Amino acid sequence: MAVALKTSYRFAFRSSLFISILLSLVLTILLWLSDLLVWYVPLLFLVLSFLLSFLVLQARVERFIYRRVKKIYDDVSLLESSSFSSKPITTDMKTLTEEIEKFAQDKKIEIDTLKIREEYRRDFLGNVSHELKTPLFTVQGYILTLLDGAINDKKVSEKYLKRASKGVERLIYIVKDLDMITKLETGDLNVKKEPFDIVDLIQNVFELLEMRAAKKEISLTFDMEYHEPIYVLGDSEKIQQVLTNLLVNSLKYGHQNGTTEVSVENLIKNKVIVRVTDNGEGIPKEHIPRLFERFYRVDQSGSRKEGGSGLGLSIVKHIMEAHGEKIYVESEVDVGSEFSFTLERIKKSLL
């Protein structure tokens, strides 16, 4: 740490002035009582005593206080606080106090942040363990049953092998989603922005999810008829995954005979906002801030009655952040939820 002395003479000046005035008064009284008082003697004594006191006090301040203050700076620098250790050392107590208080406040914020991250890490590891062990134990159970002799029964072995295969598929699905999130977070997954028709893309996703929606008896619909294409800038494959994940969630938690509606609205001059609105279960407000965390589920019972990797909304968030766009959520229990995200709009004349 570079050491630069910023010395405050305020303490030495005030103390020297106080001492010199006090001694000069005493001398004046003594000379006056002895009838030896000459006007210039107390004045000369005042000046000399002030200078001498100032030099002695300042030397003592630098010798004792500075050394102790420097030790404080050195001790603090061991905590690797670049913002503090790079500052010049000051013997000004007011400045030092302010710097120490700011340093302590910054450290408190860092500690609170670390506590939050540690809590999140524990939750994440617990959720990863739960999500992986369920299909793993399922596969293990079927394989052990087959090894115990069920493999000799063709019908039973075929049924158990199919179920074990589904468990393996679930594991692969989770690992693939985790791999995608990791690549999005580290910037290894390239986002290729190109103009495309968002209305056409939404219609394609509707068609892909048509059978799943019919099984749940939920209608997938636009809020209105879009006669003209709406061109936006983005990675069409990634945006399709965003829409798919949002619509799949809507179907999972939607009521039978319900509706999921998608709209595309102008937000500002060069932005559109895509809204996915349903009339399903809704989400309690206390869960909304954590919805986009990996493996976080509103259902904390552990039953996992709905499938999926638990990574869908986290992937949505990372894809939108990779586009430099925002994702929003509004929800009310027993009324429904609305997820929305922004995209840059492209004028036809620029195509």
Side-chain angles (χ1 to χ4, degrees), residues 68 222 334:
R68 285 160 177 75
F222 283 103
D334 296 328

Side-chain angles (χ1 to χ4, degrees), residues 64-326:
F64 292 100
I65 295 180
Y66 172 73
R67 284 183 180 180
R68 285 160 177 75
V69 170
K70 183 179 182 300
K71 188 176 186 306
I72 292 173
Y73 274 78
D74 291 340
D75 290 342
V76 168
S77 69
L78 293 176
L79 299 175
E80 297 183 356
S81 173
S82 59
S83 62
F84 191 87
S85 60
S86 61
K87 291 183 177 181
I89 296 174
T90 175
T91 55
D92 182 352
M93 292 298 106
K94 181 181 178 183
T95 304
L96 178 62
T97 302
E98 289 174 353
E99 289 182 358
I100 292 292
E101 286 177 353
K102 185 178 184 303
F103 170 79
Q105 183 63 29
D106 291 343
K107 284 298 171 186
K108 183 179 182 302
I109 293 171
E110 285 182 24
I111 291 168
D112 290 342
T113 303
L114 287 172
K115 286 180 179 178
I116 293 169
R117 287 179 179 175
E118 176 61 19
E119 184 180 350
Y120 171 75
R121 186 188 68 83
R122 286 197 301 267
D123 289 347
F124 173 69
L125 289 175
N127 286 328
V128 169
S129 173
H130 184 95
E131 294 294 342
L132 292 178
K133 76 181 181 182
T134 302
L136 276 173
F137 288 169
T138 300
V139 173
Q140 183 187 44
Y142 288 130
I143 291 174
L144 289 175
T145 304
L146 290 169
L147 290 174
D148 286 342
I151 195 170
N152 297 320
D153 187 327
K154 187 176 180 179
K155 289 184 179 179
V156 173
S157 63
E158 186 177 347
K159 180 174 70 174
Y160 280 16
L161 284 171
K162 285 181 179 178
R163 290 179 179 178
S165 177
K166 286 183 179 179
V168 173
E169 286 176 5
R170 173 84 185 278
L171 285 170
I172 292 171
Y173 185 57
I174 292 170
V175 171
K176 280 184 176 179
D177 280 356
L178 272 174
D179 183 57
M180 172 170 281
I181 288 177
T182 302
K183 287 180 178 178
L184 284 165
E185 286 180 341
T186 57
D188 292 338
L189 193 65
N190 293 326
V191 174
K192 299 177 182 178
K193 291 186 178 182
E194 295 176 346
F196 65 92
D197 180 8
I198 187 66
V199 176
D200 184 56
L201 186 68
I202 294 168
Q203 185 61 53
N204 289 340
V205 177
F206 279 175
E207 291 171 3
L208 289 171
L209 299 175
E210 187 177 6
M211 291 182 66
R212 186 179 295 197
K215 187 176 180 180
K216 195 77 180 280
E217 297 181 14
I218 293 177
S219 299
L220 297 177
T221 181
F222 283 103
D223 65 317
M224 56 178 279
E225 289 188 15
Y226 290 90
H227 299 290
E228 297 290 333
I230 299 174
Y231 291 100
V232 295
L233 187 65
D235 188 318
S236 59
E237 288 186 7
K238 303 295 186 298
I239 299 302
Q240 178 169 323
Q241 185 165 10
V242 167
L243 284 164
T244 301
N245 288 0
L246 293 179
L247 288 169
V248 166
N249 264 14
S250 176
L251 295 175
K252 280 182 186 176
Y253 303 106
H255 296 305
Q256 272 197 319
N257 301 313
T259 301
T260 295
E261 182 181 271
V262 180
S263 64
V264 183
E265 304 169 15
N266 288 322
L267 188 61
I268 54 177
K269 186 176 180 180
N270 63 332
K271 292 279 187 181
V272 298
I273 185 165
V274 181
R275 303 182 190 275
V276 178
T277 310
D278 64 54
N279 54 2
E281 297 177 5
I283 304 163
K285 290 184 179 178
E286 64 268 22
H287 294 289
I288 290 177
R290 299 190 62 185
L291 272 183
F292 296 101
E293 290 180 14
R294 286 174 285 188
F295 294 113
Y296 186 80
R297 293 180 186 267
V298 174
D299 176 18
Q300 300 292 314
S301 65
S303 63
R304 301 294 193 262
K305 64 179 181 179
E306 297 295 345
S309 67
L311 297 166
L313 288 180
S314 185
I315 289 173
V316 165
K317 174 178 175 286
H318 282 92
I319 289 175
M320 296 318 303
E321 287 179 348
H323 279 75
E325 301 290 349
K326 301 289 185 181

Side-chain angles (χ1 to χ4, degrees), residues 34-46:
S34 304
D35 292 328
L36 298 173
L37 180 62
V38 181
W39 69 270
Y40 59 83
V41 174
L43 182 61
L44 182 62
F45 181 80
L46 175 66

Side-chain angles (χ1 to χ4, degrees), residues 25-38 42:
L25 286 173
V26 171
L27 178 64
T28 302
I29 292 171
L30 290 174
L31 291 174
W32 180 71
L33 292 174
S34 304
D35 292 328
L36 298 173
L37 180 62
V38 181

